[in-house]
Amino acid sequence: MSGSGIQVDRRGPQVSQPTTPARGPEAVAKGRSLLPEADAPTWFAFGFLALLILGAVLADWIPGLAKPNLEVGAFSGPPALTVNQLFGTDALGRSIVSRVLYGARTSLSIALFASAISMSAGIFLGMLAGFYRGVVERLVDLYANTLASLPPVLVILALIAAAGTSVFTITLAMGLLGIGTYARITKGAVISQAGRDYVLAARALGASDVRLLAREILPNLVPTLTAIVPPLMAGLIVTEGSLSFLGYGIPPPAPSWGGMIAGSTDLLNRFPLLIFGPILAIVLTVYSLNTVGDYMARRIDIREGQL
Amino acid sequence: MRSVRSTYLRAIGMRLLAGVPVFFLVTFAATALSDLMPGSAAQTILGDSATPEQIALLNAQYGYDRPAWERYLGWLGKLLQGDLGKTAYSQQSVAGLLLNRAATTFEIALLAMFVALLIAVPLALFTATRPGGITDTVLRAVSSTLLSIPIFVTVVILGFLFAIVLRWLPATGWMPLAQDPIGNLGFVALPAMCLAVGQTAYFYRVSRSEFVATLQEDFVLVARAKGLPASYILLRHVLRPSLPQVLTVFGLSMTHLLGGSFIVESYFAVPGIGWTVLGAVKDHDIPTVQGILSLTVLVFVLMFIVVDIGYALIDPRVEAT
């Protein structure tokens, strides 16, 4: 009883504070939300992503689901109430549901691996740049600015023009391209953390630079990073989709959302239904990732506001 | 007066200075691209059926047998004379080709940008003054949905709608603006519309949050207390101080739009930069790819200078940073 009372008390001012000019009316709409301050779109986003990841991981074990390259029905068949034909069949009679799920596996794993590359290198460089400033910061800035000056698709296409296309090349290229963004954001966060009292206290206690960065500052970067990872992953999924759409992404027999959309455009005036599966998949995925990112960012604002 | 002008010049100078290493880095990387080719560059260009003599000849002709830094110095030397080399197959001048194609791309991009601003800014002004209202809620949902639609989905849907179902606009093709301005409008409409969709949603979001922040400033309260008309406050007290932020987003969007134009141009067969780069990638045409990379970087650097000048024009307090 008293526990919930305290919660209400704490939550009340926290959330409704934004009604005063300090925060702006923006937060008023969000203030109505439930327990973890999640609104309906946020719940939907988390739910959809969970289902998608489950479907992608467990695709092999879903009862009745055909392999993505297997002919299961009529060419360009309409949707029907079986697992494989829920979204219809494509121009080669393959199950669109199956191809969307297996395509999710490819898209998500490319985004995951590329993010892992960008994050590990980007956070490392960003921490050095933000902590030591000077020459390191200049170099990191130069790298970030250089990458920001070019559309990622152009850079990857240029690499493909030289080295040829493969999933490995694309993943590596997207990973290297993402380093700049992570480095820039980490650098900013480190600069804002480095002057705080807890860092000063740790330094006064004789902590080494490595300890300061790894044990004191890094944990405090986690909230900022959790807010930027989902939208950046959405960006990666769109980039990979664009490349596949242009025919330079995942090689054709393997399922990919971009490739499926490109493949069905010729048949669009006869079988417009073909395109719904992959379009729904990519739009909802991007929407969910962006929404989750927005939600995380909101949570940080609240946390920082409490400090 | 003199100090203000020198401030401009210093701001521009600093930007140029920051842009120079970026330009060199990108163009050098572009030159080094051919070293990534499996075997040798000529091998990739000519294919498997080429004889060793042919390969050696082509490698020598393009200088692929020399180290990257040597090729780069040569490329820079020619750049000073306005020569970007020749395309791999048709032996056209890359500079001439790009100028021609860039005009098309920029026409579409600028039109998209203009349309997006024209729709987004008034809507944002409207909802920023009525936060939490129905229009605000609806537009928030619409903009976040539009932002989730990748451009390659937009082209398919809008192309289907306007070219196949409604038959209002041609699905593919191009007519240069100089040749037939009216015909050009028909061809430019669909590509520009596709680029504008996401851009409008993006501009709307950014300008709305910017306006909301500005509306909470004390000077707006004072203006209201003075009894100034709402429209006057919006234009003079809200729009103007928010402009630098909107301008930055405008500048940053250029790279984004250029990325989108690859998809749009390839889908609607518009002979712009994006279409050219895709052809060049297919043909392993490194000189063209190199030219396009250099042009893109140049546009980016110039865009930032323009944004900086814009800052200084809007807000006289701006100093070189």
Side-chain angles (χ1 to χ4, degrees):
Chain A
M1 197 53 210
S2 69
S4 69
I6 287 170
Q7 238 181 9
V8 170
D9 275 341
R10 268 162 88 209
R11 198 140 292 168
Q14 232 182 71
V15 182
S16 55
Q17 202 131 36
T19 28
T20 61
R23 265 281 185 67
E26 183 123 18
V28 177
K30 292 163 195 162
R32 285 192 223 107
S33 48
L34 271 166
L35 206 87
E37 285 115 30
D39 50 7
T42 309
W43 281 109
F44 170 81
F46 274 106
F48 178 80
L49 288 177
L51 276 181
L52 186 77
I53 293 169
L54 266 181
V57 172
L58 301 178
D60 286 328
W61 294 280
I62 293 175
L65 189 73
K67 288 276 178 266
N69 287 325
L70 206 71
E71 196 183 315
V72 295
F75 296 160
S76 312
L81 269 179
T82 69
V83 181
N84 287 320
Q85 290 169 317
L86 210 57
F87 279 109
T89 44
D90 72 1
L92 294 173
R94 298 173 299 193
S95 160
I96 291 183
V97 172
S98 162
R99 291 183 71 73
V100 164
L101 282 182
Y102 280 92
R105 187 182 275 190
T106 331
S107 279
L108 293 179
S109 37
I110 289 182
L112 213 61
F113 279 113
S115 294
I117 297 174
S118 320
M119 271 179 83
S120 44
I123 293 174
F124 180 71
L125 290 176
M127 283 179 47
L128 291 185
F131 196 72
Y132 292 111
R133 315 296 292 266
V135 187
V136 195
E137 188 185 7
R138 295 266 178 86
L139 287 176
V140 170
D141 281 348
L142 178 63
Y143 185 75
N145 286 341
T146 307
L147 293 182
S149 68
L150 296 163
V153 177
L154 175 61
V155 180
I156 298 173
L157 282 174
L159 286 174
I160 289 174
T165 182
S166 76
V167 173
F168 176 76
T169 316
I170 294 171
T171 311
L172 188 67
M174 293 206 303
L176 294 178
L177 286 177
I179 293 176
T181 316
Y182 279 101
R184 190 170 44 75
I185 292 168
T186 308
K187 189 191 92 180
V190 169
I191 289 173
S192 88
Q193 295 286 337
R196 295 197 179 178
D197 287 344
Y198 75 90
V199 179
L200 205 66
R203 201 193 287 272
L205 285 171
S208 65
D209 285 359
V210 177
R211 191 193 154 87
L212 277 180
L213 278 171
R215 299 292 296 275
E216 304 290 340
I217 295 180
L218 186 60
N220 286 292
L221 300 179
V222 173
T224 312
L225 291 168
T226 49
I228 61 159
V229 171
L232 286 175
M233 280 186 96
L236 290 173
I237 289 174
V238 170
T239 304
E240 180 269 311
S242 308
L243 288 167
S244 296
F245 180 81
L246 293 170
Y248 291 102
I250 296 153
S256 69
W257 295 342
M260 289 172 75
I261 293 173
S264 44
T265 53
D266 296 338
L267 298 162
L268 209 54
N269 47 351
R270 281 190 291 150
F271 309 106
L273 276 176
L274 282 189
I275 213 159
F276 273 113
I279 283 187
L280 219 57
I282 196 161
V283 171
L284 288 181
T285 307
V286 172
Y287 175 82
S288 299
L289 285 168
N290 285 339
T291 306
V292 167
D294 283 350
Y295 172 71
M296 304 278 197
R298 258 177 0 240
R299 301 285 298 155
I300 298 171
D301 277 351
I302 293 170
R303 240 179 63 117
E304 290 282 306
Q306 277 176 308
L307 285 177
Chain B
M1 267 300 115
R2 213 185 135 263
S3 73
V4 172
R5 179 169 299 166
S6 74
T7 309
Y8 286 175
L9 288 179
R10 240 183 40 229
I12 297 167
M14 292 302 281
R15 276 298 175 196
L16 268 178
L17 228 57
V20 165
V22 172
F23 179 80
F24 283 120
L25 208 63
V26 170
T27 48
F28 177 73
T31 313
L33 265 184
S34 54
D35 290 337
L36 285 177
M37 288 178 157
S40 77
Q43 172 85 61
T44 315
I45 295 170
L46 293 173
D48 292 335
S49 56
T51 63
E53 290 79 35
Q54 285 173 317
I55 290 175
L57 186 71
L58 195 80
N59 270 336
Q61 191 186 340
Y62 279 94
Y64 291 139
D65 49 355
R66 286 178 291 145
W69 63 267
E70 218 181 299
R71 266 180 287 143
Y72 185 56
L73 288 183
W75 184 84
L76 276 182
K78 281 190 168 174
L79 180 72
L80 290 177
Q81 305 159 23
D83 180 7
L84 286 172
K86 296 229 180 345
T87 61
Y89 290 95
S90 52
Q91 295 290 313
Q92 276 175 286
S93 139
V94 171
L97 180 79
L98 287 190
L99 278 182
N100 183 4
R101 301 280 162 87
T104 306
T105 298
F106 285 119
E107 189 201 337
I108 297 173
L110 286 178
L111 191 67
M113 202 84 110
F114 183 68
V115 170
L117 278 178
L118 215 61
I119 300 173
V121 171
L123 282 181
L125 270 179
F126 182 82
T127 55
T129 48
R130 295 161 186 78
I134 296 175
T135 329
D136 189 32
T137 317
V138 170
L139 283 183
R140 170 198 284 289
V142 169
S143 65
S144 57
T145 309
L146 289 181
L147 280 175
S148 312
I149 303 182
I151 186 93
F152 59 88
V153 172
T154 315
V155 289
V156 171
I157 295 176
L158 290 187
F160 180 62
L161 187 66
F162 286 102
I164 297 176
V165 178
L166 297 171
R167 292 180 183 281
W168 287 353
L169 297 164
T172 57
W174 186 249
M175 171 68 72
L177 182 66
Q179 244 176 56
D180 176 5
I182 308 290
N184 171 267
L185 205 63
F187 285 110
V188 85
L190 202 42
M193 204 187 324
C194 292
L195 279 180
V197 171
Q199 211 56 37
T200 310
Y202 183 50
F203 281 158
Y204 170 76
R205 274 226 156 166
V206 174
S207 36
R208 185 195 167 278
S209 70
E210 198 53 35
F211 294 153
V212 166
T214 314
L215 274 167
Q216 274 146 23
E217 297 275 357
D218 286 342
F219 58 76
V220 175
L221 197 68
V222 171
R224 274 196 188 134
K226 279 199 295 188
L228 291 176
S231 58
Y232 184 82
I233 295 176
L234 278 184
L235 289 181
R236 295 288 303 185
H237 294 84
V238 177
L239 191 57
R240 189 167 165 171
S242 310
L243 274 181
Q245 184 62 29
V246 176
L247 204 68
T248 311
V249 172
F250 189 90
L252 281 173
S253 309
M254 228 26 212
T255 5
H256 184 76
L257 270 187
L258 220 58
S261 73
F262 295 173
I263 309 275
V264 172
E265 288 173 10
S266 84
Y267 192 69
F268 296 118
V270 173
I273 299 267
W275 193 68
T276 312
V277 84
L278 287 168
V281 169
K282 195 182 288 165
D283 297 341
H284 301 287
D285 183 350
I286 296 294
T288 308
V289 171
Q290 200 176 346
I292 291 175
L293 281 169
S294 321
L295 183 74
T296 314
V297 170
L298 200 66
V299 168
F300 180 79
V301 174
L302 288 179
M303 207 61 213
F304 265 80
I305 294 169
V306 170
V307 167
D308 265 12
I309 297 173
Y311 275 0
L313 289 179
I314 295 167
D315 185 352
R317 292 168 309 176
V318 166
E319 284 186 22
T321 45

